[in-house]
Amino acid sequence: MQLHHRKEGEQQPYWGFGPFQIRLPFVHYRWETAEMIQALIMFVVSLGMIPLLQNLLGLPYEVALAYVVVCGIGFMLPALLGVPLVPGWITPAIPVVILYMGDFEPGPEAIQALFALQIIVAAIFFILGVTRLGSRLVKIIPVSMQAGIIMGAGIAALTGEIQEGGRVASTPISLVVGTLICLFFMFSPAFQQQLARYKWARQIVNYGMVPGMLVAIFLGIGIGEYAMPDIQWGITKPAFSDMWQYLPFVVGFPEPKVFLYAIPTAVIAYVIAFGDIIVGQSLMQRADELRPDEDIVLDVDRVHTVTALRNGIHAFFAPYPGLAGPLWTAVAATMAERYKHGREAMDSIYSGAGTFWIAGFIALFILPLVSFFQPVLPIALSLTLLLTGYICLMVGMEQLSNNLQRGVAGTMAVVLAVYGAGWGLAVGAVLYFLLEKKNLLGREVAEETPATT
């Protein structure tokens, strides 16, 4: 239950605070049990960043865990400040960030380089949010290029997992079975028909990716693809006191040349994150149309401002290879699917998103959970990437209405996935102007719709 209740067709109650809308659990929205249970398993994806923090920055495990806790604080901010999206990393940008970090030695040098990258990403989001150019950018970029960005990010996510040396190649049975189960429960029309008939089917849908992930975990352990967990009891002990020694305040801030070197990677990361915003906008629009009882308002400028705040916090207190992105596509999609089943299933889009990451943050301190999932961390990360890839392709294709758009978007997507976001964006722009634009040097003239009699 909550103190403030929404009237039919209105926005979820909130307290206004400048550009933000403050919403608190039990005050402005109810606690959702399904999202809590899902988060107590899905939080394991957050822990998947620990090996990268150790390898790229040279952090001890306990310090890396403290970095993950800072990330968990950032994950709770969007629902708190008025953004209905489930936040995550800029996941498809991680391979590009790793390539950038390869030129710096683990330790102070790498920490400085990652600070430079993340503070530039924060600045890009902040400038576009405050000037309100972010919302204009969504309207200015042609549909074919928007779809190309989304599909390119999806192809990059899928390719990284299924290529030789990827996680699917090393542990194929658990990951393939887990992915197929997730896709079947989330998108199969045959399974959707069972929702009206059987309560157990509705219960499965309520937990999103969890059933597929649990099957993948137990199957992987059972057939030896992953080691048996060593379950420990108590609470985790992130090394907050030691973390200070691994922050820019102690190791020093980067030289100007490092900032210049980080700019291309930061721009690529933003372009990919912009695709996430477009995906999130599409998901929220579909959810809003299916549920007239709640007015879902996705303010793109607020998304930019909150994402800038999260990246700024990271830069100073936990430089992060995953960066701070506006959307965890796989979880947001599963949450939107459950949301469409009505107010009894999920009272508000904010109650789902808010409950999920608050519960996920609490889970970081539950040692039995953390120790149980430690050997199977790759499963959670891989399933997220594979589902993200599928959903990006699905949403991107849905936006295209003719063969010219499909050709431009498809070509741009492949170039983006193979050569990076910068080249992909350039190819998409050239193809749009040469093939789609009817007035090369002027503004497009909208076609008149013939009058009907």
Side-chain angles (χ1 to χ4, degrees):
M1 297 297 293
Q2 70 265 21
L3 295 179
H4 300 284
H5 296 270
R6 179 179 75 251
K7 295 181 180 179
E8 188 75 12
E10 293 186 353
Q11 289 190 59
Q12 192 69 8
Y14 62 88
W15 293 327
F17 183 71
F20 306 115
Q21 296 177 344
I22 307 296
R23 291 182 176 89
L24 301 174
F26 306 110
V27 177
H28 301 104
Y29 60 81
R30 78 183 188 194
W31 190 259
E32 301 286 354
T33 303
E35 270 61 48
M36 178 188 70
I37 295 174
Q38 188 177 355
L40 292 178
I41 297 173
M42 292 302 298
F43 87 100
V44 67
V45 178
S46 302
L47 300 177
M49 190 56 61
I50 289 178
L52 282 181
L53 291 167
Q54 292 176 301
N55 295 335
L56 296 179
L57 302 186
L59 305 184
Y61 175 84
E62 291 77 10
V63 173
L65 183 59
Y67 270 45
V68 173
V69 172
V70 174
C71 180
I73 295 172
F75 282 151
M76 293 187 289
L77 288 180
L80 173 67
L81 298 178
V83 176
L85 304 178
V86 182
W89 306 326
I90 307 179
T91 308
I94 291 176
V96 183
V97 174
I98 292 174
L99 185 65
Y100 161 78
M101 294 296 296
D103 293 330
F104 302 93
E105 285 292 324
E109 185 178 302
I111 294 170
Q112 291 177 4
L114 195 49
F115 167 85
L117 172 62
Q118 195 144 28
I119 203 67
I120 293 173
V121 172
I124 294 172
F125 273 104
F126 181 75
I127 292 170
L128 292 178
V130 170
T131 60
R132 304 191 71 81
L133 289 174
S135 56
R136 296 178 191 172
L137 201 60
V138 176
K139 299 175 182 177
I140 291 173
I141 295 183
V143 170
S144 57
M145 292 183 63
Q146 292 184 25
I149 292 171
I150 297 171
M151 294 165 61
I155 293 172
L158 288 171
T159 303
E161 293 302 303
I162 65 177
Q163 66 186 357
E164 185 177 352
R167 280 180 284 261
V168 172
S170 58
T171 56
I173 297 176
S174 54
L175 289 181
V176 170
V177 171
T179 302
L180 291 177
I181 290 174
C182 287
L183 290 174
F184 179 76
F185 287 155
M186 289 168 60
F187 301 113
S188 168
F191 183 74
Q192 296 295 317
Q193 292 179 11
Q194 309 305 314
L195 297 180
R197 301 179 186 176
Y198 303 108
K199 185 177 180 180
W200 61 265
R202 294 191 293 273
Q203 291 295 327
I204 289 175
V205 168
N206 283 347
Y207 297 110
M209 291 174 58
V210 170
M213 183 170 293
L214 288 178
V215 170
I217 288 172
F218 288 110
L219 179 61
I221 293 174
I223 64 177
E225 288 187 341
Y226 294 92
M228 284 288 293
D230 177 21
I231 300 177
Q232 303 171 30
W233 301 95
I235 61 172
T236 58
K237 298 178 180 178
F240 296 112
S241 58
D242 297 333
M243 185 174 68
W244 186 258
Q245 302 301 317
Y246 297 88
L247 296 179
F249 306 103
V250 173
V251 303
F253 291 92
E255 298 178 359
K257 64 180 181 180
V258 179
F259 285 97
L260 292 175
Y261 185 70
I263 289 175
T265 305
V267 172
I268 288 172
Y270 175 77
V271 171
I272 294 173
F274 177 76
D276 285 338
I277 293 175
I278 297 170
V279 173
Q281 194 174 44
S282 176
L283 289 172
M284 290 303 103
Q285 183 178 350
R286 291 162 70 185
D288 191 41
E289 291 170 354
L290 291 169
R291 286 275 302 271
D293 61 282
E294 179 176 13
D295 180 19
I296 301 176
V297 176
L298 179 61
D299 186 323
V300 173
D301 299 310
R302 188 182 300 133
V303 173
H304 277 76
T305 305
V306 173
T307 308
L309 176 62
R310 291 172 55 218
N311 277 290
I313 292 172
H314 265 303
F316 286 101
F317 299 105
Y320 223 61
L323 306 175
L327 184 73
W328 185 353
T329 308
V331 174
T334 60
M335 196 168 296
E337 284 296 308
R338 197 170 87 81
Y339 177 81
K340 75 179 185 181
H341 295 297
R343 198 161 183 173
E344 289 186 4
M346 186 187 299
D347 180 58
S348 166
I349 198 71
Y350 289 96
S351 63
T355 299
F356 181 87
W357 270 128
I358 293 174
F361 178 76
I362 294 171
L364 293 174
F365 296 93
I366 303 176
L367 185 57
L369 283 176
V370 173
S371 59
F372 172 79
F373 286 117
Q374 193 166 358
V376 294
L377 291 180
I379 290 179
L381 183 58
S382 290
L383 285 181
T384 298
L385 287 168
L386 291 168
L387 289 175
T388 296
Y390 178 88
I391 293 167
C392 284
L393 291 175
M394 179 181 68
V395 173
M397 291 178 182
E398 189 178 51
Q399 295 187 359
L400 304 171
S401 59
N402 59 60
N403 285 334
L404 272 179
Q405 290 183 347
R406 295 183 190 104
V408 171
T411 305
M412 176 183 173
V414 173
V415 174
L416 188 150
V418 175
Y419 293 104
W423 281 108
L425 197 61
V427 168
V430 170
L431 290 178
Y432 168 75
F433 277 97
L434 289 180
L435 301 179
E436 286 191 71
K437 212 170 184 324
K438 298 176 181 177
N439 186 355
L440 287 178
L441 300 179
R443 296 177 61 182
E444 291 290 87
V445 179
E447 293 183 3
E448 294 184 5
T449 304
T452 57
T453 57

